[in-house]
Amino acid sequence: MCCTSLIALPSSFASDSPQVRIHDIQGETRVSPYAGKTVSEVPGVVTAVRDFGEARGFWFQDTKPDDNPATSEGIFVFTGKESPSVKVGDALRVSGEVSEYYPGGKEGGGQSATQLSKAEWTVTSQDNKLPRAKRLNSHTVPRSYAPTAGGKSIEDRTLRPHRYALDLYESLEGMRTQVSDAPVVGPTTQYDELWVTADRRQNRTERGGTLYGSYEQQNGARIKVTSLLPLKENPFPKANVGDKVRGRTVGPLDYDQFGGYTLRATELGEVRSGGLEREHTRPQKDDELAVATYNVENLSPASEPEKFEELAQALVKNLASPDIVNLEEVQDDTGPEDDGVVTADKTLKLLTDAIKKAGGPAYEWRQIDPEDKADGGQPGGNIRVAFLYNPERVSFTDREGGDATTPTTVVDEDGQPALSASPGRISPTDEAWEAARKPLAGEFSFRGKPVFVIANHFSSKGGGDLDGDQPLEGVFQPPARNSEPQRVEQAKLVNSFVKDLRKVDRNAAVIAAGDFNDFPFSPSLKALTHKALKNPMLRLDRSERYGYVFNGNSQALDHILTSPGVGRPDYDIVHINAEFHDQISDHDPQVVRLRLR
């Protein structure tokens, strides 16, 4: 790579072919017609420089665009680990090799970014005026998300930027783009990124997010924002959902492995607080049974002590000390260290001690150690589900026989359902649970009435267990939900178990709760509830049905499902994590209060 002050074509790129411009390279589809070819003396002005990491380079843009809205006028020049010797405002003529870069690899299903590599360039002038940024707002971003191709690739489709959001973004790839006074819909992450929406009215939640309410409600106005500014002098802002990035945020539009189209900011607006506060649920009344579910995100003795303290405060103050708590992602006593340890008593003791110190009850726990490396999750962590319960309010009915591979079954004891083992795992050797957490069934008693609780943590969507889903913003449209069939089979097994309980007593009090890793409108939840359970979340207003924020979409993965025998439940999603940059877990806990029949 080189930079000279002479307007001369480097000999290594000499060519008799006519000059091409950036819009010729970008073309009208997602893949360049020049991919794999060499181009010479492509003109443009440098609009942004990335001078950190192992993917350094610069964006430059043609100041004389064509009249085709499908062709981008900007492109990235990749210089690898070498700092690019250019400045914003430099006018260049660039020669190099055209390629399509797939962040994360082509096999991941994401889209590519067209770029020039092995480049040489000549600076023809400096301090040039930059092209005007393209504005992204409710008038320019189409409501339709992507063209459909029956699950096949859309790479060879001619872009229709006035009809589809993904086509619009592709037509602006590498170009200066702008959002103004943009609401934050995804909080700042540890990777210094946040999500905004270019459309203030698109499927908003009651607390300022963007609701993912169906497979057809993808919310194309979401944009990820990162910064190209020096972080030492310009720390990336800490933002929560409901905040606003005031003023202009400007930079080239790029494609990222994690989240798709990303505005790489060279000018970043000021974050103004929206005043979002963490919620507190009401305490249960004496005759109400309170059952909660909480994904504590890889909790182990290796976690920071502050995490135990903050989880305890949340359970006591924000959740009002539920009678029973289903925990997900409890790791073994050595955490991610892959040493064969599977016990989790140290982890659970640290948590229950912290809860007592925070003024909560002296919780006891029940769980079953998994087989080593059999349940997925972080390697070596051996995550599992577990019960906490307050013995002052409920009692646990212990029945021997439960272990990692022995299934618990429903037995009839004089016309009343009971578990053969409590706690016990549901069909733990069934292939549906390969590399996944097995559900834990427990028999409780509240005010003399038996209550059956099932703690769940179904297979993930992201491929951490087996095959992951194709990305929402990827080249395959609509994206395949590869992980879904396994969760459907898992749901059928839990559903069958609940039906076995209700065969003995149709009014049996059954609660199935946890991180089901799927949406309330999904086939998994339909299979899970079919003629056995109800989802009280559906009684909430649509704008309240979420407890997890992924890529700027507020969505529901955690659920508490109840049998008809529990009566009319009072249900609450307690928003304390997912919308905040300083979260102690990526999931919001949920609680249901019941008056048993």
Side-chain angles (χ1 to χ4, degrees):
M1 283 146 306
C2 73
C3 171
T4 70
S5 58
L6 301 175
I7 307 177
L9 178 65
S11 59
S12 58
F13 291 101
S15 172
D16 294 329
S17 61
Q19 183 189 60
V20 298
R21 304 186 77 93
I22 293 174
H23 50 250
D24 298 318
I25 298 171
Q26 289 283 11
E28 295 183 311
T29 68
R30 286 172 163 77
V31 176
S32 171
Y34 286 83
K37 300 179 181 179
T38 295
V39 292
S40 303
E41 290 200 299
V42 180
V45 171
V46 176
T47 60
V49 177
R50 181 163 61 202
D51 195 14
F52 54 85
E54 298 187 358
R56 303 185 185 206
F58 60 90
W59 286 266
F60 79 122
Q61 187 169 329
D62 200 329
T63 58
K64 295 181 180 180
D66 64 8
D67 57 0
N68 187 346
T71 57
S72 171
E73 302 294 343
I75 197 169
F76 181 68
V77 179
F78 174 69
T79 62
K81 297 180 181 179
E82 185 176 335
S83 296
S85 55
V86 298
K87 295 180 180 179
V88 171
D90 285 353
L92 307 178
R93 289 185 179 273
V94 182
S95 302
E97 191 175 289
V98 180
S99 62
E100 293 292 332
Y101 170 62
Y102 290 85
K106 188 173 183 179
E107 66 279 359
Q111 299 196 48
S112 63
T114 304
Q115 64 181 25
L116 296 177
S117 59
K118 303 176 183 177
E120 299 179 0
W121 57 85
T122 302
V123 179
T124 60
S125 63
Q126 296 178 314
D127 300 321
N128 290 279
K129 184 178 180 181
L130 302 186
R132 179 178 294 180
K134 295 288 186 179
R135 296 184 179 184
L136 302 176
N137 53 45
S138 60
H139 301 293
T140 60
V141 180
R143 282 297 180 108
S144 296
Y145 187 66
T148 182
K152 296 181 179 180
S153 174
I154 58 173
E155 281 192 324
D156 61 350
R157 299 280 184 101
T158 300
L159 300 177
R160 291 187 281 178
H162 296 303
R163 183 166 183 179
Y164 300 112
L166 289 191
D167 282 9
L168 171 69
Y169 298 144
E170 180 64 21
S171 75
L172 300 176
E173 179 191 274
M175 294 177 63
R176 297 184 77 224
T177 53
Q178 170 185 330
V179 291
S180 299
D181 295 334
V184 176
V185 296
T188 302
T189 73
Q190 60 180 315
Y191 306 107
D192 290 329
E193 59 190 29
L194 57 81
W195 287 78
V196 299
T197 179
D199 186 346
R200 302 184 187 112
R201 295 184 296 275
Q202 190 174 68
N203 301 318
R204 304 304 299 278
T205 69
E206 64 169 4
R207 289 166 58 87
T210 299
L211 182 71
Y212 183 66
S214 74
Y215 293 122
E216 292 75 38
Q217 195 172 297
Q218 303 98 328
N219 301 313
R222 294 171 299 112
I223 294 288
K224 188 167 85 169
V225 176
T226 66
S227 178
L228 294 173
L229 300 169
L231 292 179
K232 186 175 181 180
E233 296 82 10
N234 305 274
F236 197 79
K238 304 298 186 184
N240 299 327
V241 169
D243 291 350
K244 180 180 289 187
V245 184
R246 291 289 300 274
R248 292 172 13 122
T249 296
V250 182
L253 195 64
D254 194 13
Y255 188 88
D256 190 271
Q257 175 185 358
F258 303 104
Y261 291 101
T262 302
L263 195 160
R264 310 287 189 190
T266 56
E267 180 181 342
L268 189 57
E270 180 185 0
V271 171
R272 298 286 181 88
S273 174
L276 195 70
E277 295 183 356
R278 288 179 163 87
E279 293 184 334
H280 295 76
T281 197
R282 70 168 177 84
Q284 64 271 30
K285 298 176 182 178
D286 287 345
D287 62 343
E288 289 180 318
L289 174 67
V291 180
T293 181
Y294 201 169
N295 184 319
V296 293
E297 195 179 7
N298 292 323
L299 184 68
S300 78
S303 303
E304 294 293 332
E306 292 78 14
K307 180 167 183 175
F308 286 95
E309 294 169 8
E310 292 172 358
L311 285 170
Q313 288 289 336
L315 285 162
V316 175
K317 307 298 183 184
N318 301 88
L319 292 182
S321 300
D323 302 315
I324 302 171
V325 183
N326 284 11
L327 299 176
E328 300 88 52
E329 292 199 22
V330 174
Q331 288 194 342
D332 64 39
D333 290 330
T334 58
E337 186 175 346
D338 190 1
D339 54 6
V341 171
V342 296
T343 58
D345 288 344
K346 291 180 182 178
T347 305
L348 291 165
K349 188 174 190 308
L350 284 170
L351 179 58
T352 53
D353 285 351
I355 293 170
K356 192 172 181 180
K357 186 177 179 180
Y363 281 114
E364 297 183 9
W365 68 81
R366 295 291 187 275
Q367 62 94 34
I368 290 178
D369 295 330
E371 293 183 298
D372 189 31
K373 293 188 282 290
D375 285 12
Q378 188 177 24
N382 291 312
I383 57 173
R384 81 289 309 272
V385 294
F387 297 124
L388 299 184
Y389 68 96
N390 179 2
E392 297 296 320
R393 293 270 299 166
V394 297
S395 61
F396 190 88
T397 305
D398 288 295
R399 301 181 191 273
E400 295 182 354
D403 59 30
T405 58
T406 302
T408 186
T409 58
V410 177
V411 296
D412 186 335
E413 291 190 348
D414 299 324
Q416 295 296 319
L419 302 182
S420 63
S422 175
R425 290 178 140 197
I426 297 175
S427 306
T429 59
D430 192 286
E431 63 181 8
W433 304 113
E434 181 183 356
R437 282 65 56 191
K438 286 67 174 173
L440 186 70
E443 191 174 334
F444 295 84
S445 179
F446 176 67
R447 298 168 72 92
K449 299 176 182 177
V451 181
F452 300 92
V453 182
I454 304 169
N456 303 270
H457 187 188
F458 282 11
S459 297
S460 74
K461 291 177 172 293
D465 301 331
L466 292 174
D467 293 331
D469 293 356
Q470 292 174 343
L472 193 66
E473 64 285 341
V475 296
F476 300 104
Q477 294 294 334
R481 302 191 295 271
N482 295 320
S483 67
E484 183 177 270
Q486 184 179 16
R487 284 192 302 279
V488 170
E489 293 307 309
Q490 293 169 352
K492 289 178 180 178
L493 290 172
V494 176
N495 175 270
S496 178
F497 189 84
V498 175
K499 286 178 177 175
D500 287 344
L501 288 165
R502 297 190 63 210
K503 284 178 184 176
V504 180
D505 178 6
R506 64 187 299 269
N507 290 318
V510 186
I511 302 160
D515 178 0
F516 292 102
N517 265 316
D518 228 333
F519 313 118
F521 48 83
S522 68
S524 305
L525 265 291
K526 291 177 181 177
L528 183 58
T529 57
H530 182 65
K531 296 183 178 180
L533 296 164
K534 296 183 180 299
N535 190 349
M537 182 187 293
L538 301 181
R539 292 176 52 206
L540 299 179
D541 186 85
R542 285 179 59 84
S543 66
E544 301 176 33
R545 300 176 193 172
Y546 66 94
Y548 188 79
V549 179
F550 180 71
N551 290 353
N553 268 335
S554 295
Q555 52 196 243
L557 300 179
D558 306 84
H559 306 269
I560 302 178
L561 311 173
T562 59
S563 66
V566 304
R568 186 180 177 88
D570 179 28
Y571 186 78
D572 193 8
I573 303 173
V574 188
H575 300 295
I576 61 173
N577 287 321
E579 299 167 310
F580 296 89
H581 72 270
D582 54 345
Q583 52 191 227
I584 55 175
S585 168
D586 49 355
H587 293 250
D588 286 330
Q590 305 180 17
V591 63
V592 65
R593 289 171 287 265
L594 311 162
R595 282 191 174 95
L596 301 183
R597 291 178 177 176

